[in-house]
Amino acid sequence: MVIVPTCGLASKAGRVRRKFLLTAATAALVPVMALTAMDAVADDSVKVAVIAPLAGAFAVSGQDVLNGAKLAAEEINAAGGIKSLGGRKLELLVGDAGQSPETAVTTARRVLNQKPVAAIGSWYSSLTLAATQIAERSRIPWVTGSVADDITNRGFKYVYKISAGSEASAQGLIDAIKLVGADSYRLALLGDNNAANTSIQAFIKTKVDPSSIVSEQTWTPPLSDATPVVNGILRSKPDIIYLGATSTSDQALVLKQLAAQGNTAPIVMGASSAANPTFRDAVGSQGMEGVIVATGVSFPGKGAEDINQKYVESTKQAFMDCEALTGYVNIYVVAQALEQAGKADPAAVKQALDDMDIQNFHVFEALPGGARMKFDETGLRENNAVEILQWQGGQPRVIAPADVATAEVKKKL
Amino acid sequence: MRAAGVRPNFYKESVKDMYVLQLVLSGLQQGGVLALLSMGLALMFGVLRVVNFAQADFMMLGMYGAILMYAAFQLNFAETSLLLVIPAFIVGWLVYELIIRRVAQAKLTSTPEHAQLLATLGLSLIIQNTAEMVWGATPLNLESSQQLSMWHIGSLSIDQPRTIAFGIAIAIGIIMLLVLRGTYIGRAVRAAASDQEAASYVGVNVRRVYGATFGVAVAISVIVGSVLVSYYPATPLAGNDFILLMFTAVILGGLGNVMGAMVGGLLLGLIQSLSQLFIPLELNSAVVFVLFLVMMLVRPSGIFGEVNRL
Amino acid sequence: MNTSTQSKPIGMPRKDSDKSSASTRGVPFSMSMSSAVWQLAALLLGGLIAIFLAGDSPAQITVTLTLIYIAYASAWNIVAGFAGQFTFGHSAFFGLGAYSATLLTQWIGLPPMYGLWVGVLAAAIAATVIGIITLRLRGLYFGLATVVFPTVFAVFATYLGFQEVSVPFSPDGGLESFTPGDPKVLSFVALAAALLVCIVAVALLRSRFGTALGALRSDQDAAEASGVNTTRVKIYALVLSAALSAIAGGLYASVSLVVTPVDVFGLQMSVKPVLMTVFGGIGTLAGPVLGAAILVPLSETLNATFGATLPSLSGLVYGAALLLVITLFPGGLVPFILSVAKRVYRSGAPSAAAEVAAGVSSRSDATEQVKGGTEEDASHWMPSQGRDTPVEPGAPILTIAQIAKAFGGTKVLHDVTMQVASREIVGIIGPNGAGKTTLFNIISGFVKPDAGSMQLHGTKTNDLRPSAIAALGLGRTFQTVRLFSGMTAIENVLVGALASCADREAASRVAWSAIEEVGLAGRALRKVDGLTTGELRRLELARAMAIAGQGGLLLLDEFLGGLTKEDSAALLEALIRWRKNGGSVLAIEHTMRAMADFVDRFVVLNFGKVIAQGSPEEILKNQDVIKAYLGDKWGA
């Protein structure tokens, strides 16, 4: 019995060839599909990217950054645009940085592909650290109000930071703690594992007597249940509680839990989002009374009343917060750089930022440190300073530094 | 210097300051919710041998449902639950008919359950991402009250919404167990779970039993969601926080064993909470998963033993 | 290759280089060389085209990602598709690759191209540990257990402070930094990785390890009984798959630019290769490639176009794709396409050939002429399994002494003592529940006895695993036929032959001899799914013979069930030839009638005890036996 060999080769080769073509065709589709995703940009405005968390756990803060940026852009355009470019208007390219570094990277890639001359954002340090990777590789200058020291000590050349760093923030917190407490105190540290917060907490531990830290809790945001965290903290009976969470819902949750479990220790918060109007609803003016915030991101204080006014009018929020001020100031920084550069070109803007040394510009007076806008060689603004705020009467007031202060500290109520 | 940590006189100290009791309470509260979710999962596995990856996502839909009902009609969670039960049941039945039944025969690998598992995985992805498109990723809360409502007994703080959720979860769980043991429907379900063919011989409409079981399991999830949202923020990915814990609870109790899942859920809540005494908060979930692994190796049939013993 | 109608005995030592006219036919690989080469070439060409078309545009990132996922999915396919072990925790290895490459760059400035290999090592070690821990779990439990590991890694990574590790930017770095100015370079590296994984997969499929994988995937116990050390095979497959996944992970870090536990150790990252492979066609070479090549660009493009307004569109696409595939064509895209192509391009080839599923199987390596049945020829036979010293007739091959076994509280076997000698056919009979199959399971190593000892060919077998016992020269069949579906008949026998043959050639000879012995040579190249019940039983017998080798012992569990008279007669003749060539048989049957004519001796079991042993005539007259079968009333 003999089996005739199948016409194996003929049809087999045909099948294989077909598969071959299919594979090659599919592979070729790849770039075609991706290319169609790019839109051609060709109109007369100067594009500036704003990449901030607009959805997710940090949306409240990111939205305010955008609000501030929009206000600034509108003002600049209303005043005649960028004069050195013949009055060209600013256009904001908005991107949602999401709530994780991956989404920040993806968004940054997508938005920076459209070739803006500069970018600002992303408020949450982890997101900024991620997104600026793209900026540096794309050679587009990026101005940020995020706090983490790593932002400017990676040796990047295209990143500029207007706020104080983590170490300075930690020192500011120690000062704030001294403002409300005695000289020796039992300190409890809690916070999320955001890049800024972890480095601040690390610095705090180097600056205080280790025996004064009685409890430490860290979580990955977003937090859904504050009970274990608060349980752990309260049982160590702290004199002062440092809360370093960054997401407003995390902060509100912890504050409420602390109140509900009968906490009487003063609370010091380390993230600028703690000065957000949303707390008036979430926790209540009464609940926030006396809470201290120490942050490297500036809050509108003395000299910024008119900016605050304009913001409140246009957004109907109770007051302008740090995030909004950051967005507002950063757009002006970019605008000033454009004016100096005289060209709508990222390289020229970068150069202008490197060379920038502006004094007596009204907007920059809102920042502590003498209203001077100058960046050092790592991209850090010189004369930056940590502000200490305290919630009084339903809104944060600047206690320190003196050049922007609007109120005095109210000690233990 | 950390205050937590293993201390030799831990027992004395803990009794003194009620900390452990507080942890036990928190653990039970969270465990109760987990228990009910896991019971739904166990039911599905026990009866249909389906591993439903989308179970926690139905819970998430329940959360959003409650928020919508509150925003539109000011309904509280009890009313919302009642309202959503029927639609959830129907949705569950439909999912069974349209998806699970279709893939029941698909032989993907030498393990027959894989095809259904993958189908529910696909479903889970679809539900999560659609939810994100519709409602966005920003967490939503049911009502933003400025103060947490708590009862205080001595130095214990007992959170009200959590306790209520716990009570409801346990109540529904017990009802479910009673139905399974005591009623005709319950016996039909157990028969179909035990031996599909034999059950059909004695007059049980197996297909309908399967559909109904799926419907019930989904309805349970939705109810849990609507109750949970009173203290847990709703996000499209909320299910992911629970799904692994649910599987662990089910395996702990015995895959397919509904009562085992209830006990497993409570146990897991307790373990998660009490582990805080020994290890930092961040390593909390690792404890659960290591336990899961140990369980799989030492006694994969769970504390109470596997399937066919609903 | 021709075969002769005459063959001389092959003789005993298995390593003999007897190039006589005995069967020199090969057994076709499940993946032919030409098919493999074509597919690899297609991947190479497709990749190059994509890279050059994308050029320096932003689309290049998509190309890189696609190639990375091709590598990752193909790696997963090795352990899940080829070995049949469905894991849902592959991100454990992927993440180790990503973290290793990045952390080493940060700490000691080691460029990712080198740091990546440390990740490979770490992943291999992790896979060994994970494999050992989880190996005793099967199916669903195994899958669920694997989910735990990446989760635990993620928790520890966060705890140790690695929750966001940035990939350092070295603009002046060369190729090894993976961040050169030209984005095409990373794509080339990714293409190389993808090709590497596919080449490894091909090599695997064309090795004896690949045959073992196929057996494992199909039926783990039957594989074990056929001499495959399933534990070792599982772990090897997992380790290989893990190491390759780590390469993909290391490359991924250079694309994502920031490594976070949630991303690289997350459930999503574990699910992606599953999705892509299942979508493309699990167990095939082209499946994961096609799956990734379609899904990744699709989702990235959707993200790029609609990402601003609908950020979760890509996730939706993945979910929908998975659901669609599972409900409509669960085998995946590749088999579906091939079946459509087959219908369209009906080539007149016999349907057996057209059953080529998913491009995995081929027959162009098959030889043309196959010799027919050799019922008369008793002299050609197979190499023995390493038993170089001839055994005298009558010497005991299998010795069982005082075997006892209890399950739970029930004692199933009491003090069973018996032996099987060389050139002897022994029948074990007894009423239902007497413990016959349990005894078989103990002899073949699937169940450990509570007491007693066993010896096979002079070696104590109490503590040996089934595959080791099989390699000593014991081939068994099962009550319900357990063959490896998806493989051809001859491949099934080949699995058994590989139990102790040094190489595929020798094993092929053995396999062909065995399959001729049972008269199935004509159907050798058919897939077992197309055989009749009778043919299946004969095939299982051939496999058992191949495992046992000349002079070996066959354990046959009710092998006459479901056979026609002709088939039975043919098989019994084959057994008689087996005995003549030095082998022995221990067979379970229900009734004496079937076996009375050809067994040398009966052993009667009742309630786990041996109640009688002896020749058929003696047994027929034995009072205890009669009582056991018919009840006390019938005793004298």
Side-chain angles (χ1 to χ4, degrees), chain C residues 43-44 47-48 51 67-68 71 113 185-199 244 247 251:
Chain C
L43 175 59
L44 177 62
L48 288 173
I51 293 176
L67 290 165
I68 289 176
M113 184 178 263
V185 172
L186 198 55
S187 288
F188 282 123
V189 177
L191 180 58
L195 278 169
L196 173 66
V197 179
C198 288
I199 290 174
L244 295 169
I247 297 179
L251 291 176

Side-chain angles (χ1 to χ4, degrees), chain C residues 11 17 36 130 186 197 199 254 289 309 397 431 456 532 543 548 551 561 604 616 630:
Chain C
S17 50
I130 291 175
L186 198 55
V197 179
I199 290 174
S254 292
V289 175
T309 42
I397 297 291
L456 179 66
T532 68
R543 184 180 68 188
V604 187
L630 301 177

Side-chain angles (χ1 to χ4, degrees), chain B residues 184 187-189 191-192 196 198-209:
Chain B
Y184 171 74
R187 282 198 290 276
V189 168
Q196 189 182 342
S200 63
Y201 291 157
V202 299
V204 172
N205 184 334
V206 173
R207 178 172 166 177
R208 254 196 255 157
V209 165

